[in-house]
mmCIF file of all heavy atoms in Angstrom:
data_model
loop_
_atom_site.group_PDB
_atom_site.id
_atom_site.type_symbol
_atom_site.label_atom_id
_atom_site.label_comp_id
_atom_site.label_asym_id
_atom_site.label_seq_id
_atom_site.Cartn_x
_atom_site.Cartn_y
_atom_site.Cartn_z
ATOM 1 N N LEU P 275 -16.459 42.885 36.806
ATOM 2 C CA LEU P 275 -15.518 42.130 37.617
ATOM 3 C C LEU P 275 -14.679 43.036 38.422
ATOM 4 O O LEU P 275 -14.364 42.870 39.600
ATOM 5 C CB LEU P 275 -14.756 41.197 36.816
ATOM 6 C CG LEU P 275 -13.658 40.224 37.483
ATOM 7 C CD1 LEU P 275 -14.352 39.378 38.506
ATOM 8 C CD2 LEU P 275 -12.837 39.438 36.550
ATOM 9 N N ALA P 276 -14.104 44.067 37.754
ATOM 10 C CA ALA P 276 -13.113 44.943 38.342
ATOM 11 C C ALA P 276 -13.726 45.716 39.565
ATOM 12 O O ALA P 276 -13.163 45.948 40.499
ATOM 13 C CB ALA P 276 -12.566 45.880 37.256
ATOM 14 N N GLU P 277 -15.095 46.090 39.314
ATOM 15 C CA GLU P 277 -15.798 46.708 40.352
ATOM 16 C C GLU P 277 -15.939 45.836 41.621
ATOM 17 O O GLU P 277 -15.768 46.302 42.770
ATOM 18 C CB GLU P 277 -17.219 47.180 39.881
ATOM 19 C CG GLU P 277 -17.081 48.306 38.856
ATOM 20 C CD GLU P 277 -18.476 48.651 38.322
ATOM 21 O OE1 GLU P 277 -19.407 48.252 38.858
ATOM 22 O OE2 GLU P 277 -18.554 49.217 37.288
ATOM 23 N N ALA P 278 -16.268 44.539 41.369
ATOM 24 C CA ALA P 278 -16.521 43.574 42.460
ATOM 25 C C ALA P 278 -15.214 43.278 43.143
ATOM 26 O O ALA P 278 -15.114 43.171 44.427
ATOM 27 C CB ALA P 278 -17.246 42.326 42.005
ATOM 28 N N THR P 279 -14.167 43.055 42.487
ATOM 29 C CA THR P 279 -12.887 42.703 43.081
ATOM 30 C C THR P 279 -12.208 43.943 43.670
ATOM 31 O O THR P 279 -11.672 43.914 44.756
ATOM 32 C CB THR P 279 -11.898 42.097 42.095
ATOM 33 O OG1 THR P 279 -11.746 42.982 40.966
ATOM 34 C CG2 THR P 279 -12.376 40.722 41.586
ATOM 35 N N GLY P 280 -12.445 45.102 43.152
ATOM 36 C CA GLY P 280 -11.918 46.343 43.681
ATOM 37 C C GLY P 280 -12.643 46.671 44.957
ATOM 38 O O GLY P 280 -11.963 47.198 45.947
ATOM 39 N N ALA P 281 -13.872 46.319 45.133
ATOM 40 C CA ALA P 281 -14.530 46.592 46.439
ATOM 41 C C ALA P 281 -14.253 45.436 47.527
ATOM 42 O O ALA P 281 -14.724 45.612 48.452
ATOM 43 C CB ALA P 281 -16.091 46.548 46.144
ATOM 44 N N GLY P 282 -13.533 44.504 47.049
ATOM 45 C CA GLY P 282 -13.193 43.464 47.925
ATOM 46 C C GLY P 282 -14.281 42.411 48.266
ATOM 47 O O GLY P 282 -14.141 41.595 49.110
ATOM 48 N N ARG P 283 -15.324 42.456 47.345
ATOM 49 C CA ARG P 283 -16.450 41.466 47.534
ATOM 50 C C ARG P 283 -16.007 40.048 47.095
ATOM 51 O O ARG P 283 -16.357 39.129 47.816
ATOM 52 C CB ARG P 283 -17.597 41.855 46.648
ATOM 53 C CG ARG P 283 -18.444 43.061 47.212
ATOM 54 C CD ARG P 283 -19.791 43.079 46.424
ATOM 55 N NE ARG P 283 -20.432 41.726 46.574
ATOM 56 C CZ ARG P 283 -20.541 40.920 45.571
ATOM 57 N NH1 ARG P 283 -20.019 41.066 44.428
ATOM 58 N NH2 ARG P 283 -21.112 39.679 45.860
ATOM 59 N N ILE P 284 -15.295 39.955 46.017
ATOM 60 C CA ILE P 284 -14.847 38.692 45.474
ATOM 61 C C ILE P 284 -13.447 38.681 45.082
ATOM 62 O O ILE P 284 -12.854 39.764 45.071
ATOM 63 C CB ILE P 284 -15.793 38.022 44.288
ATOM 64 C CG1 ILE P 284 -15.546 38.996 43.150
ATOM 65 C CG2 ILE P 284 -17.217 38.093 44.741
ATOM 66 C CD1 ILE P 284 -16.251 38.525 41.861
ATOM 67 N N ARG P 285 -12.877 37.450 44.796
ATOM 68 C CA ARG P 285 -11.545 37.454 44.190
ATOM 69 C C ARG P 285 -11.594 36.842 42.784
ATOM 70 O O ARG P 285 -12.647 36.194 42.543
ATOM 71 C CB ARG P 285 -10.714 36.556 45.072
ATOM 72 C CG ARG P 285 -10.404 37.162 46.554
ATOM 73 C CD ARG P 285 -9.585 36.235 47.308
ATOM 74 N NE ARG P 285 -10.353 35.149 47.913
ATOM 75 C CZ ARG P 285 -9.930 33.930 48.120
ATOM 76 N NH1 ARG P 285 -8.655 33.592 47.967
ATOM 77 N NH2 ARG P 285 -10.701 33.062 48.766
ATOM 78 N N ALA P 286 -10.508 36.961 41.985
ATOM 79 C CA ALA P 286 -10.562 36.401 40.583
ATOM 80 C C ALA P 286 -9.191 35.951 40.336
ATOM 81 O O ALA P 286 -8.080 36.503 40.689
ATOM 82 C CB ALA P 286 -11.099 37.477 39.617
ATOM 83 N N ILE P 287 -9.142 34.789 39.494
ATOM 84 C CA ILE P 287 -8.041 34.258 38.960
ATOM 85 C C ILE P 287 -8.172 34.175 37.458
ATOM 86 O O ILE P 287 -9.080 33.435 36.936
ATOM 87 C CB ILE P 287 -7.609 32.934 39.578
ATOM 88 C CG1 ILE P 287 -7.343 33.033 41.018
ATOM 89 C CG2 ILE P 287 -6.371 32.330 38.845
ATOM 90 C CD1 ILE P 287 -7.237 31.655 41.763
ATOM 91 N N LEU P 288 -7.444 35.043 36.643
ATOM 92 C CA LEU P 288 -7.660 35.157 35.249
ATOM 93 C C LEU P 288 -6.443 34.718 34.500
ATOM 94 O O LEU P 288 -5.350 35.287 34.480
ATOM 95 C CB LEU P 288 -7.985 36.510 34.845
ATOM 96 C CG LEU P 288 -9.049 37.264 35.668
ATOM 97 C CD1 LEU P 288 -9.168 38.690 35.271
ATOM 98 C CD2 LEU P 288 -10.376 36.568 35.433
ATOM 99 N N ASP P 289 -6.510 33.546 33.690
ATOM 100 C CA ASP P 289 -5.536 33.170 32.837
ATOM 101 C C ASP P 289 -5.693 33.853 31.382
ATOM 102 O O ASP P 289 -4.811 33.676 30.532
ATOM 103 C CB ASP P 289 -5.372 31.746 32.748
ATOM 104 C CG ASP P 289 -4.131 31.299 31.984
ATOM 105 O OD1 ASP P 289 -2.997 31.766 32.304
ATOM 106 O OD2 ASP P 289 -4.171 30.479 31.057
ATOM 107 N N VAL P 290 -6.895 34.408 31.200
ATOM 108 C CA VAL P 290 -7.276 35.023 29.924
ATOM 109 C C VAL P 290 -7.948 36.314 30.201
ATOM 110 O O VAL P 290 -8.663 36.436 31.164
ATOM 111 C CB VAL P 290 -8.102 34.017 29.046
ATOM 112 C CG1 VAL P 290 -7.449 32.855 28.519
ATOM 113 C CG2 VAL P 290 -9.408 33.502 29.850
ATOM 114 N N THR P 291 -7.677 37.175 29.341
ATOM 115 C CA THR P 291 -8.487 38.532 29.420
ATOM 116 C C THR P 291 -8.816 39.048 28.083
ATOM 117 O O THR P 291 -8.473 38.392 27.098
ATOM 118 C CB THR P 291 -7.540 39.641 30.119
ATOM 119 O OG1 THR P 291 -6.292 39.657 29.324
ATOM 120 C CG2 THR P 291 -7.186 39.268 31.479
ATOM 121 N N ASP P 292 -9.545 40.069 28.045
ATOM 122 C CA ASP P 292 -9.972 40.675 26.740
ATOM 123 C C ASP P 292 -9.828 42.185 26.783
ATOM 124 O O ASP P 292 -10.454 42.949 27.460
ATOM 125 C CB ASP P 292 -11.459 40.315 26.446
ATOM 126 C CG ASP P 292 -11.942 40.892 25.060
ATOM 127 O OD1 ASP P 292 -11.074 40.927 24.116
ATOM 128 O OD2 ASP P 292 -13.109 41.243 24.938
ATOM 129 N N PRO P 293 -8.658 42.606 25.997
ATOM 130 C CA PRO P 293 -7.766 41.928 25.052
ATOM 131 C C PRO P 293 -6.877 40.982 25.898
ATOM 132 O O PRO P 293 -6.903 40.988 27.073
ATOM 133 C CB PRO P 293 -7.112 42.935 24.420
ATOM 134 C CG PRO P 293 -7.018 44.136 25.474
ATOM 135 C CD PRO P 293 -8.244 44.068 26.118
ATOM 136 N N GLU P 294 -6.100 40.262 25.055
ATOM 137 C CA GLU P 294 -5.208 39.161 25.682
ATOM 138 C C GLU P 294 -4.288 39.821 26.734
ATOM 139 O O GLU P 294 -4.023 39.282 27.785
ATOM 140 C CB GLU P 294 -4.373 38.527 24.657
ATOM 141 C CG GLU P 294 -3.547 37.315 25.128
ATOM 142 C CD GLU P 294 -4.388 36.212 25.508
ATOM 143 O OE1 GLU P 294 -5.462 35.950 25.074
ATOM 144 O OE2 GLU P 294 -3.959 35.444 26.349
ATOM 145 N N VAL P 295 -3.724 40.986 26.429
ATOM 146 C CA VAL P 295 -2.975 41.721 27.401
ATOM 147 C C VAL P 295 -3.776 42.993 27.739
ATOM 148 O O VAL P 295 -3.992 43.794 26.761
ATOM 149 C CB VAL P 295 -1.571 42.030 26.894
ATOM 150 C CG1 VAL P 295 -0.829 42.981 27.989
ATOM 151 C CG2 VAL P 295 -0.766 40.768 26.525
ATOM 152 N N LEU P 296 -4.232 43.177 28.869
ATOM 153 C CA LEU P 296 -4.911 44.355 29.288
ATOM 154 C C LEU P 296 -4.188 45.667 29.096
ATOM 155 O O LEU P 296 -2.991 45.591 29.188
ATOM 156 C CB LEU P 296 -5.495 44.295 30.776
ATOM 157 C CG LEU P 296 -6.450 43.083 31.046
ATOM 158 C CD1 LEU P 296 -6.653 43.028 32.526
ATOM 159 C CD2 LEU P 296 -7.748 43.349 30.363
ATOM 160 N N PRO P 297 -4.803 46.807 28.796
ATOM 161 C CA PRO P 297 -4.106 48.078 28.772
ATOM 162 C C PRO P 297 -3.389 48.389 30.075
ATOM 163 O O PRO P 297 -3.845 47.877 31.097
ATOM 164 C CB PRO P 297 -5.303 49.034 28.621
ATOM 165 C CG PRO P 297 -6.423 48.288 27.983
ATOM 166 C CD PRO P 297 -6.237 46.885 28.566
ATOM 167 N N PRO P 298 -2.154 48.967 29.942
ATOM 168 C CA PRO P 298 -1.348 49.165 31.229
ATOM 169 C C PRO P 298 -2.141 49.828 32.379
ATOM 170 O O PRO P 298 -1.887 49.502 33.504
ATOM 171 C CB PRO P 298 -0.265 50.127 30.692
ATOM 172 C CG PRO P 298 -0.177 49.886 29.191
ATOM 173 C CD PRO P 298 -1.609 49.594 28.738
ATOM 174 N N GLY P 299 -3.125 50.703 32.137
ATOM 175 C CA GLY P 299 -3.780 51.339 33.250
ATOM 176 C C GLY P 299 -5.065 50.667 33.702
ATOM 177 O O GLY P 299 -5.797 51.186 34.543
ATOM 178 N N HIS P 300 -5.211 49.441 33.149
ATOM 179 C CA HIS P 300 -6.555 48.700 33.692
ATOM 180 C C HIS P 300 -6.463 48.447 35.119
ATOM 181 O O HIS P 300 -5.486 47.991 35.670
ATOM 182 C CB HIS P 300 -6.675 47.417 32.780
ATOM 183 C CG HIS P 300 -8.117 46.922 32.814
ATOM 184 N ND1 HIS P 300 -8.635 46.251 33.968
ATOM 185 C CD2 HIS P 300 -9.020 46.941 31.922
ATOM 186 C CE1 HIS P 300 -9.828 45.946 33.721
ATOM 187 N NE2 HIS P 300 -10.193 46.266 32.454
ATOM 188 N N PRO P 301 -7.665 48.647 35.824
ATOM 189 C CA PRO P 301 -7.567 48.464 37.323
ATOM 190 C C PRO P 301 -7.351 47.003 37.688
ATOM 191 O O PRO P 301 -6.874 46.877 38.891
ATOM 192 C CB PRO P 301 -8.987 48.916 37.647
ATOM 193 C CG PRO P 301 -9.841 48.839 36.457
ATOM 194 C CD PRO P 301 -8.806 49.157 35.389
ATOM 195 N N LEU P 302 -7.545 46.043 36.885
ATOM 196 C CA LEU P 302 -7.261 44.662 37.296
ATOM 197 C C LEU P 302 -5.855 44.327 37.560
ATOM 198 O O LEU P 302 -5.459 43.574 38.251
ATOM 199 C CB LEU P 302 -7.912 43.690 36.233
ATOM 200 C CG LEU P 302 -9.417 43.486 36.167
ATOM 201 C CD1 LEU P 302 -9.818 42.651 35.032
ATOM 202 C CD2 LEU P 302 -10.030 42.988 37.519
ATOM 203 N N TRP P 303 -5.008 45.085 36.833
ATOM 204 C CA TRP P 303 -3.513 44.881 37.074
ATOM 205 C C TRP P 303 -3.097 45.140 38.495
ATOM 206 O O TRP P 303 -2.256 44.471 38.956
ATOM 207 C CB TRP P 303 -2.757 45.889 36.091
ATOM 208 C CG TRP P 303 -2.654 45.380 34.707
ATOM 209 C CD1 TRP P 303 -2.950 46.210 33.660
ATOM 210 C CD2 TRP P 303 -2.091 44.283 34.186
ATOM 211 N NE1 TRP P 303 -2.619 45.466 32.445
ATOM 212 C CE2 TRP P 303 -2.089 44.322 32.736
ATOM 213 C CE3 TRP P 303 -1.420 43.092 34.695
ATOM 214 C CZ2 TRP P 303 -1.587 43.359 31.924
ATOM 215 C CZ3 TRP P 303 -0.983 42.056 33.914
ATOM 216 C CH2 TRP P 303 -1.098 42.228 32.500
ATOM 217 N N THR P 304 -3.618 46.161 39.100
ATOM 218 C CA THR P 304 -3.156 46.505 40.426
ATOM 219 C C THR P 304 -4.075 46.096 41.630
ATOM 220 O O THR P 304 -3.926 46.531 42.690
ATOM 221 C CB THR P 304 -2.974 48.079 40.490
ATOM 222 O OG1 THR P 304 -4.213 48.765 40.075
ATOM 223 C CG2 THR P 304 -1.913 48.533 39.567
ATOM 224 N N ASP P 305 -5.053 45.329 41.228
ATOM 225 C CA ASP P 305 -6.022 44.851 42.223
ATOM 226 C C ASP P 305 -5.467 43.723 43.034
ATOM 227 O O ASP P 305 -5.131 42.623 42.502
ATOM 228 C CB ASP P 305 -7.314 44.469 41.562
ATOM 229 C CG ASP P 305 -8.561 44.260 42.468
ATOM 230 O OD1 ASP P 305 -8.285 43.869 43.638
ATOM 231 O OD2 ASP P 305 -9.674 44.417 42.076
ATOM 232 N N GLY P 306 -5.366 43.876 44.284
ATOM 233 C CA GLY P 306 -4.803 42.807 45.098
ATOM 234 C C GLY P 306 -5.760 41.560 45.297
ATOM 235 O O GLY P 306 -5.259 40.475 45.785
ATOM 236 N N ASN P 307 -6.884 41.635 44.839
ATOM 237 C CA ASN P 307 -7.903 40.512 44.866
ATOM 238 C C ASN P 307 -7.882 39.720 43.626
ATOM 239 O O ASN P 307 -8.687 38.984 43.318
ATOM 240 C CB ASN P 307 -9.225 41.007 45.204
ATOM 241 C CG ASN P 307 -9.389 41.459 46.691
ATOM 242 O OD1 ASN P 307 -8.892 40.750 47.572
ATOM 243 N ND2 ASN P 307 -9.889 42.627 46.838
ATOM 244 N N VAL P 308 -7.029 40.148 42.638
ATOM 245 C CA VAL P 308 -6.988 39.559 41.297
ATOM 246 C C VAL P 308 -5.574 38.900 40.957
ATOM 247 O O VAL P 308 -4.605 39.705 41.163
ATOM 248 C CB VAL P 308 -7.378 40.561 40.197
ATOM 249 C CG1 VAL P 308 -7.261 39.785 38.865
ATOM 250 C CG2 VAL P 308 -8.786 41.047 40.517
ATOM 251 N N LEU P 309 -5.496 37.790 40.503
ATOM 252 C CA LEU P 309 -4.241 37.164 39.992
ATOM 253 C C LEU P 309 -4.478 37.018 38.586
ATOM 254 O O LEU P 309 -5.409 36.331 38.070
ATOM 255 C CB LEU P 309 -3.989 35.825 40.686
ATOM 256 C CG LEU P 309 -2.858 34.998 40.123
ATOM 257 C CD1 LEU P 309 -1.510 35.729 40.256
ATOM 258 C CD2 LEU P 309 -2.756 33.690 40.575
ATOM 259 N N ILE P 310 -3.517 37.573 37.717
ATOM 260 C CA ILE P 310 -3.608 37.470 36.312
ATOM 261 C C ILE P 310 -2.284 36.705 35.837
ATOM 262 O O ILE P 310 -1.208 37.138 36.141
ATOM 263 C CB ILE P 310 -3.568 38.896 35.567
ATOM 264 C CG1 ILE P 310 -4.906 39.692 36.013
ATOM 265 C CG2 ILE P 310 -3.559 38.682 34.060
ATOM 266 C CD1 ILE P 310 -4.864 41.079 35.421
ATOM 267 N N THR P 311 -2.530 35.670 35.141
ATOM 268 C CA THR P 311 -1.393 34.843 34.572
ATOM 269 C C THR P 311 -1.425 35.022 33.051
ATOM 270 O O THR P 311 -2.536 35.150 32.524
ATOM 271 C CB THR P 311 -1.394 33.418 35.018
ATOM 272 O OG1 THR P 311 -2.691 32.849 34.699
ATOM 273 C CG2 THR P 311 -1.183 33.327 36.479
ATOM 274 N N PRO P 312 -0.283 34.910 32.381
ATOM 275 C CA PRO P 312 -0.256 35.175 30.890
ATOM 276 C C PRO P 312 -0.582 34.078 30.016
ATOM 277 O O PRO P 312 0.231 33.594 29.130
ATOM 278 C CB PRO P 312 1.333 35.555 30.817
ATOM 279 C CG PRO P 312 1.954 34.780 31.833
ATOM 280 C CD PRO P 312 1.070 34.668 33.017
ATOM 281 N N HIS P 313 -1.959 33.666 30.159
ATOM 282 C CA HIS P 313 -2.340 32.579 29.355
ATOM 283 C C HIS P 313 -1.377 31.342 29.282
ATOM 284 O O HIS P 313 -0.988 30.878 28.214
ATOM 285 C CB HIS P 313 -2.605 33.062 27.878
ATOM 286 C CG HIS P 313 -3.634 32.360 27.093
ATOM 287 N ND1 HIS P 313 -4.316 32.792 25.977
ATOM 288 C CD2 HIS P 313 -4.104 31.096 27.299
ATOM 289 C CE1 HIS P 313 -5.139 31.838 25.587
ATOM 290 N NE2 HIS P 313 -5.087 30.782 26.363
ATOM 291 N N LEU P 314 -1.025 30.885 30.394
ATOM 292 C CA LEU P 314 -0.026 29.817 30.613
ATOM 293 C C LEU P 314 -0.673 28.461 30.964
ATOM 294 O O LEU P 314 0.101 27.541 31.003
ATOM 295 C CB LEU P 314 0.961 30.227 31.569
ATOM 296 C CG LEU P 314 0.494 30.645 33.107
ATOM 297 C CD1 LEU P 314 0.113 29.330 33.883
ATOM 298 C CD2 LEU P 314 1.547 31.425 33.798
ATOM 299 N N ALA P 315 -2.025 28.372 31.193
ATOM 300 C CA ALA P 315 -2.667 27.141 31.679
ATOM 301 C C ALA P 315 -2.497 26.038 30.507
ATOM 302 O O ALA P 315 -2.350 24.846 30.906
ATOM 303 C CB ALA P 315 -4.097 27.363 31.953
ATOM 304 N N GLY P 316 -2.631 26.417 29.288
ATOM 305 C CA GLY P 316 -2.454 25.521 28.191
ATOM 306 C C GLY P 316 -1.156 24.882 28.086
ATOM 307 O O GLY P 316 -0.194 25.270 28.787
ATOM 308 N N SER P 317 -0.978 23.981 27.099
ATOM 309 C CA SER P 317 0.301 23.334 26.898
ATOM 310 C C SER P 317 1.469 24.187 26.678
ATOM 311 O O SER P 317 1.383 25.042 25.737
ATOM 312 C CB SER P 317 0.242 22.254 25.825
ATOM 313 O OG SER P 317 -0.779 21.328 26.087
ATOM 314 N N GLN P 318 2.483 24.145 27.507
ATOM 315 C CA GLN P 318 3.723 24.760 27.298
ATOM 316 C C GLN P 318 4.937 23.872 27.714
ATOM 317 O O GLN P 318 4.779 22.900 28.480
ATOM 318 C CB GLN P 318 3.878 26.005 28.234
ATOM 319 C CG GLN P 318 2.749 27.086 27.783
ATOM 320 C CD GLN P 318 3.008 28.452 28.479
ATOM 321 O OE1 GLN P 318 3.865 28.553 29.386
ATOM 322 N NE2 GLN P 318 2.078 29.355 28.202
ATOM 323 N N GLY P 319 6.125 24.244 27.280
ATOM 324 C CA GLY P 319 7.357 23.516 27.663
ATOM 325 C C GLY P 319 7.170 21.926 27.416
ATOM 326 O O GLY P 319 6.818 21.614 26.257
ATOM 327 N N ASN P 320 7.481 21.095 28.344
ATOM 328 C CA ASN P 320 7.485 19.665 27.989
ATOM 329 C C ASN P 320 6.055 19.230 27.773
ATOM 330 O O ASN P 320 5.847 18.010 27.255
ATOM 331 C CB ASN P 320 8.166 18.823 29.069
ATOM 332 C CG ASN P 320 7.498 18.963 30.436
ATOM 333 O OD1 ASN P 320 6.364 19.273 30.647
ATOM 334 N ND2 ASN P 320 8.350 18.664 31.529
ATOM 335 N N GLU P 321 4.980 19.912 28.185
ATOM 336 C CA GLU P 321 3.527 19.554 27.895
ATOM 337 C C GLU P 321 3.352 19.425 26.400
ATOM 338 O O GLU P 321 2.407 18.918 25.952
ATOM 339 C CB GLU P 321 2.719 20.527 28.602
ATOM 340 C CG GLU P 321 2.732 20.390 30.019
ATOM 341 C CD GLU P 321 2.173 21.605 30.790
ATOM 342 O OE1 GLU P 321 1.967 22.658 30.170
ATOM 343 O OE2 GLU P 321 1.978 21.590 32.060
ATOM 344 N N LEU P 322 4.053 20.252 25.600
ATOM 345 C CA LEU P 322 3.898 20.229 24.177
ATOM 346 C C LEU P 322 4.101 18.753 23.585
ATOM 347 O O LEU P 322 3.595 18.431 22.570
ATOM 348 C CB LEU P 322 4.868 21.145 23.427
ATOM 349 C CG LEU P 322 4.596 22.713 23.742
ATOM 350 C CD1 LEU P 322 5.695 23.547 23.171
ATOM 351 C CD2 LEU P 322 3.298 23.133 23.347
ATOM 352 N N ARG P 323 4.894 17.945 24.223
ATOM 353 C CA ARG P 323 5.124 16.549 23.767
ATOM 354 C C ARG P 323 3.870 15.847 23.822
ATOM 355 O O ARG P 323 3.678 14.986 22.927
ATOM 356 C CB ARG P 323 6.263 15.944 24.627
ATOM 357 C CG ARG P 323 7.628 16.603 24.584
ATOM 358 C CD ARG P 323 8.678 15.574 24.748
ATOM 359 N NE ARG P 323 8.496 14.728 25.937
ATOM 360 C CZ ARG P 323 9.037 14.928 27.161
ATOM 361 N NH1 ARG P 323 9.776 15.951 27.270
ATOM 362 N NH2 ARG P 323 8.741 14.111 28.161
ATOM 363 N N ARG P 324 2.893 16.186 24.743
ATOM 364 C CA ARG P 324 1.696 15.349 24.748
ATOM 365 C C ARG P 324 0.861 15.687 23.525
ATOM 366 O O ARG P 324 0.159 14.817 23.027
ATOM 367 C CB ARG P 324 0.966 15.782 25.949
ATOM 368 C CG ARG P 324 -0.252 14.968 26.295
ATOM 369 C CD ARG P 324 -1.093 15.520 27.450
ATOM 370 N NE ARG P 324 -0.468 15.174 28.723
ATOM 371 C CZ ARG P 324 -0.044 16.028 29.646
ATOM 372 N NH1 ARG P 324 -0.156 17.340 29.319
ATOM 373 N NH2 ARG P 324 0.456 15.625 30.786
ATOM 374 N N LEU P 325 0.920 16.977 23.021
ATOM 375 C CA LEU P 325 0.200 17.324 21.790
ATOM 376 C C LEU P 325 0.811 16.564 20.566
ATOM 377 O O LEU P 325 0.026 15.949 19.782
ATOM 378 C CB LEU P 325 0.364 18.789 21.550
ATOM 379 C CG LEU P 325 -0.116 19.754 22.561
ATOM 380 C CD1 LEU P 325 0.028 21.259 22.105
ATOM 381 C CD2 LEU P 325 -1.563 19.537 22.998
ATOM 382 N N ALA P 326 2.061 16.525 20.494
ATOM 383 C CA ALA P 326 2.720 15.795 19.479
ATOM 384 C C ALA P 326 2.438 14.388 19.467
ATOM 385 O O ALA P 326 2.194 13.681 18.404
ATOM 386 C CB ALA P 326 4.291 16.009 19.472
#
Side-chain angles (χ1 to χ4, degrees):
L275 178 64
E277 291 175 16
T279 57
R283 280 198 56 256
I284 66 171
R285 293 178 283 149
I287 298 170
L288 308 175
D289 191 50
V290 289
T291 56
D292 182 33
E294 185 69 29
V295 179
L296 293 173
H300 199 286
L302 288 173
W303 280 124
T304 55
D305 191 332
N307 292 311
V308 179
L309 173 67
I310 301 175
T311 55
H313 205 159
L314 57 77
S317 299
Q318 295 187 0
N320 62 23
E321 295 162 342
L322 296 174
R323 296 210 311 263
R324 190 186 282 117
L325 305 182

